[in-house]
Amino acid sequence: KAGVTQTPRYLIKTRGQQVTLSCSPISGHRSVSWYQQTPGQGLQFLFEYFSETQRNKGNFPGRFSGRQFSNSRSEMNVSTLELGDSALYLCASSLGLAGGHVGGELFFGEGSRLTVL
Amino acid sequence: TQLLEQSPQFLSIQEGENLTVYCNSSSVFSSLQWYRQEPGEGPVLLVTVVTGGEVKKLKRLTFQFGDARKDSSLHITAAQPGDTGLYLCHNDMRFGAGTRLTVKP
């Protein structure tokens, strides 16, 4: 069974630009959640999508958005990039709702490392 | 807001030593997951604990869930360099800050 695939793996942007990251979940998984990981803040939850609906959202500004398609693939977008957005963005898929008792185990991709100059 | 506090933040030990890392919260966990993350990779699930007082073993790793379901611990026996990584606890879409373990040969 193929794992979670994230693209691109690395990218460099400048302040003010926008970026779109893609995540293909494990086949059959309906939940995709996104996390930002930085040395200072650790792993922080961005949002979760389940069956094309945003189910939960973390405490991030509106510049961070996402969506999920009917095939469960997900994208996240960050607009008007700031230097502080430099981070590893991790996507995780799960069979059921993320963290739930049943099917809530998260399977992570290798991440997209974003550098904002 | 339930915060997950992990301790210690950093741990550096010699191969063959034992260690314990902790995950605590002021609120009751519905369930708790432990993950390990190696450099350049995403976290990988080690175990899910659900029942208060539960103990689960995974080879040299022993996971305990507190009776009150507010704390959990991970004990590694005879640590090996391959155990090096960032150990994270997770509940309800929140991760602890992690314990960064280095096992020296």
Side-chain angles (χ1 to χ4, degrees):
Chain A
K1 185 189 265 190
V4 177
T5 303
Q6 291 189 246
T7 56
R9 288 292 312 279
Y10 303 92
L11 64 166
I12 300 174
K13 295 284 187 178
T14 57
R15 280 180 296 174
Q17 288 187 310
Q18 71 154 13
V19 66
T20 298
L21 308 178
S22 178
C23 173
S24 293
I26 291 172
S27 178
H29 284 195
R30 297 168 65 188
S31 169
V32 173
S33 49
W34 289 89
Y35 295 82
Q36 181 196 65
Q37 187 173 33
T38 59
Q41 299 296 319
L43 261 172
Q44 292 191 292
F45 172 72
L46 282 157
F47 27 66
E48 179 192 9
Y49 288 86
F50 186 87
S51 296
E52 301 179 67
T53 302
Q54 187 181 89
R55 298 301 296 261
N56 292 288
K57 190 176 189 303
N59 190 26
F60 278 81
R63 300 184 298 106
F64 292 81
S65 63
R67 59 178 175 169
Q68 187 180 33
F69 303 96
S70 58
N71 62 358
S72 293
R73 190 178 69 86
S74 177
E75 289 181 347
M76 68 162 283
N77 184 276
V78 188
S79 62
T80 320
L81 284 165
E82 301 177 359
L83 295 178
D85 296 333
S86 294
L88 180 66
Y89 290 88
L90 289 162
C91 159
S93 75
S94 56
L95 196 59
L97 288 174
H101 286 186
V102 178
E105 293 85 357
L106 300 173
F107 294 83
F108 283 87
E110 294 181 306
S112 293
R113 184 165 294 282
L114 170 65
T115 301
V116 182
L117 302 176
Chain B
T1 301
Q2 175 173 281
L3 296 176
L4 302 180
E5 296 183 356
Q6 289 192 247
S7 61
Q9 189 176 358
F10 297 96
L11 191 55
S12 180
I13 61 172
Q14 292 295 133
E15 182 176 1
E17 294 183 5
N18 301 331
L19 66 117
T20 302
V21 300
Y22 301 92
C23 177
N24 297 288
S25 171
S26 57
S27 304
V28 173
F29 295 125
S30 52
S31 63
L32 189 81
Q33 298 168 346
W34 283 94
Y35 291 81
R36 179 173 65 211
Q37 184 178 22
E38 298 183 23
E41 299 181 7
V44 175
L45 178 70
L46 295 174
V47 77
T48 299
V49 287
V50 178
T51 306
E54 183 176 9
V55 177
K56 282 191 174 180
K57 292 194 174 184
L58 186 66
K59 296 183 181 178
R60 294 176 294 100
L61 279 58
T62 301
F63 302 85
Q64 285 193 300
F65 202 17
D67 290 340
R69 302 197 347 254
K70 290 185 177 182
D71 57 275
S72 181
S73 64
L74 158 59
H75 181 81
I76 301 179
T77 303
Q80 298 176 1
D83 296 325
T84 293
L86 179 66
Y87 288 82
L88 298 155
C89 61
H90 171 260
N91 171 261
D92 194 23
M93 291 163 290
R94 286 184 173 81
F95 280 89
T99 293
R100 190 167 296 280
L101 171 66
T102 303
V103 182
K104 301 175 184 176

